[in-house]
Amino acid sequence: MSDMIEGGLESKRDSDLLRGVLDMCVLGVLATRPAHAYEVVERLRGLGFGAVSYGTIYPLVTRLRRQGLVAQESTASPVGPTRKVLVVTDSGRDALGAWRTRWEESTAAVRRVLSQVDESQAGSS
Amino acid sequence: MNRGGWHPKLTTWVDRVDARWHQLGLDATQRRQLRLELVADLSQARLDGAPLDELLAVDPDRFAADVAVGVGFDPPPDGSGDVAAPQRAAREPAAWRLVIADGASVARVAGAGLFGSVVGGVCGLALLLPAIGWVQNDRRMSYHTQGAVMLVIYATAALLAALGGALAVASDCTERSARRVVRRRAFIGLIVSGIAATLVTVSFASATGYSNAAPVVVTELGMVIGVCALGLCLVAMSIRRSRHG
């Protein structure tokens, strides 16, 4: 029973963590190269976000477009019809930069906490 | 699963997403725009090799709710829950809104079909004018032969009118994959309603002694348009029934 509760909490924690970082990771992926929604899914999976799906990314991209952080552009394709891809706007780049600063500060703080844990465990043993 | 192209199952999936948007209360214009964007994105994903089963595995109700939140539709009071969890309970639209929405889409199909039929009919008659002139001026032709040839000419013009109407109705359809079915149904509907309109109008004309008085002609015209519009409405309703179950 407690395993189930812990499993549920872990799953919730994973979900919260993903929710907290995913929009900025989408911006990061698009800042590297414009893409359409499914391509973003594939690239995030390739970078280790195994849990993302089209059902997660498309609504998120819709929100980013509404917020003006991402825009849709048409690009000529050497084969087939014109492609529509998502590109990061100037506001999106600013948001990404600000998030990156906060992320680095937060991870540094977490790292310090974990170092203290490691040190205390090393001292007790 | 086949890769690389649009699949009818995707149309069904998009229909379910659209139906959910409707339930949530998004207006027709917003839904149409969202649907166009979704279809374009899914088509591109398929062209780039997205597996069909993976796309179809996405829960359409949940997806529709998340996209609705994404576009700023009645955002939730808090950000709790799973990343892709529906953020709010569905709000059922009022019955009168559904009736108006259904009525508007049926009326649009009828309007497009009638407009296309008129354009097709006028173009057809213009193309067939030389043939009509030839039949009327050919004195070697017997009365019965002349009548039969004229019947063939008018039937051809009617077919062209129905084709024009069917093309106009299909062009209003957002999904390319569904256009063929819509075109076929509209064509058959226009042919059947055209025959019915002819029978009704000829009976009326016979009863009035084939009068060419303006009120009679206007009534006959109204009968043709009315019966054809009714046929198109039935076609539109049958398409809606088959798509939404």
Side-chain angles (χ1 to χ4, degrees):
Chain A
M1 185 68 174
S2 64
D3 284 352
M4 278 176 68
I5 294 169
E6 277 176 26
L9 285 174
E10 282 308 306
S11 167
K12 173 83 167 59
R13 191 192 304 279
D14 288 348
S15 174
D16 286 347
L17 240 158
L18 194 60
R19 185 154 47 85
V21 299
L22 202 54
D23 51 355
M24 288 298 155
C25 288
V26 168
L27 281 181
V29 162
L30 291 173
T32 321
R33 196 178 71 233
H36 59 78
Y38 188 76
E39 202 179 330
V40 173
V41 174
E42 284 187 314
R43 283 162 64 186
L44 283 171
R45 280 180 187 159
L47 292 166
F49 285 92
V52 296
S53 70
Y54 188 77
T56 313
I57 297 302
Y58 188 88
L60 199 154
V61 163
T62 308
R63 176 164 62 82
L64 294 175
R65 282 180 63 193
R66 178 174 60 88
Q67 291 171 333
L69 305 179
V70 161
Q72 200 168 43
E73 278 186 4
S74 296
T75 56
S77 169
V79 284
T82 309
R83 293 169 60 84
K84 279 189 175 171
V85 287
L86 300 158
V87 294
V88 180
T89 61
D90 289 341
S91 311
R93 286 186 191 280
D94 291 345
L96 182 60
W99 174 78
R100 187 176 183 156
T101 307
R102 284 203 303 278
W103 172 256
E104 279 164 2
E105 287 169 1
S106 302
T107 49
V110 172
R111 217 174 290 124
R112 283 194 292 275
V113 170
L114 294 177
S115 308
Q116 278 187 352
V117 173
D118 288 345
E119 282 167 19
S120 70
Q121 281 179 347
S124 63
S125 63
Chain B
M1 290 279 184
N2 70 327
R3 293 167 71 95
W6 186 263
H7 192 281
K9 281 183 180 173
L10 280 172
T11 303
T12 310
W13 186 84
V14 173
D15 281 345
R16 285 185 59 190
V17 172
D18 198 2
R20 182 65 175 156
W21 282 332
H22 196 174
Q23 276 186 336
L24 289 169
L26 271 78
D27 64 59
T29 313
Q30 202 171 15
R31 277 198 341 262
R32 190 177 164 82
Q33 181 62 30
L34 287 175
R35 190 183 173 111
L36 280 173
E37 287 175 0
L38 178 59
V39 167
D41 197 80
L42 282 170
S43 304
Q44 211 156 294
R46 286 288 293 148
L47 284 175
D48 286 353
L52 182 63
D53 47 4
E54 187 189 326
L55 297 175
L56 293 174
V58 177
D59 176 8
D61 288 348
R62 190 168 164 163
F63 181 86
D66 288 342
V67 173
V69 171
V71 294
F73 179 76
D74 197 9
D78 62 84
S80 62
D82 188 31
V83 169
Q87 306 278 323
R88 60 190 288 279
R91 180 161 58 85
E92 294 293 334
W96 64 268
R97 286 179 67 181
L98 292 176
V99 170
I100 288 176
D102 282 356
S105 59
V106 168
R108 208 167 75 192
V109 168
L114 286 175
F115 175 75
S117 299
V118 170
V119 172
V122 169
C123 291
L125 279 176
L127 283 170
L128 294 165
L129 267 180
I132 293 170
W134 167 69
V135 173
Q136 285 178 341
N137 293 325
D138 193 338
R139 298 191 185 282
R140 290 167 298 170
M141 227 181 260
S142 70
Y143 178 74
H144 290 295
T145 312
Q146 212 172 35
V149 175
M150 285 300 283
L151 200 64
V152 170
I153 290 172
Y154 284 127
T156 309
L159 283 174
L160 288 171
L163 186 66
L167 288 173
V169 172
S171 70
D172 202 33
C173 181
T174 48
E175 280 114 62
R176 242 180 275 173
S177 57
R179 280 183 192 159
R180 188 181 294 178
V181 177
V182 171
R183 193 164 53 228
R184 192 176 56 231
R185 286 196 190 185
F187 182 74
I188 294 169
L190 275 167
I191 292 291
V192 172
S193 57
I195 291 169
T198 306
L199 291 174
V200 169
T201 313
V202 168
S203 302
F204 178 75
S206 168
T208 58
Y210 297 99
S211 162
N212 56 6
V216 174
V217 173
V218 168
T219 307
E220 286 168 357
L221 202 63
M223 281 175 165
V224 171
I225 293 172
V227 173
C228 288
L230 184 68
L232 283 165
C233 288
L234 291 174
V235 167
M237 285 193 282
S238 84
I239 292 168
R240 279 189 73 80
R241 248 200 321 273
S242 65
R243 284 159 72 81
H244 296 292

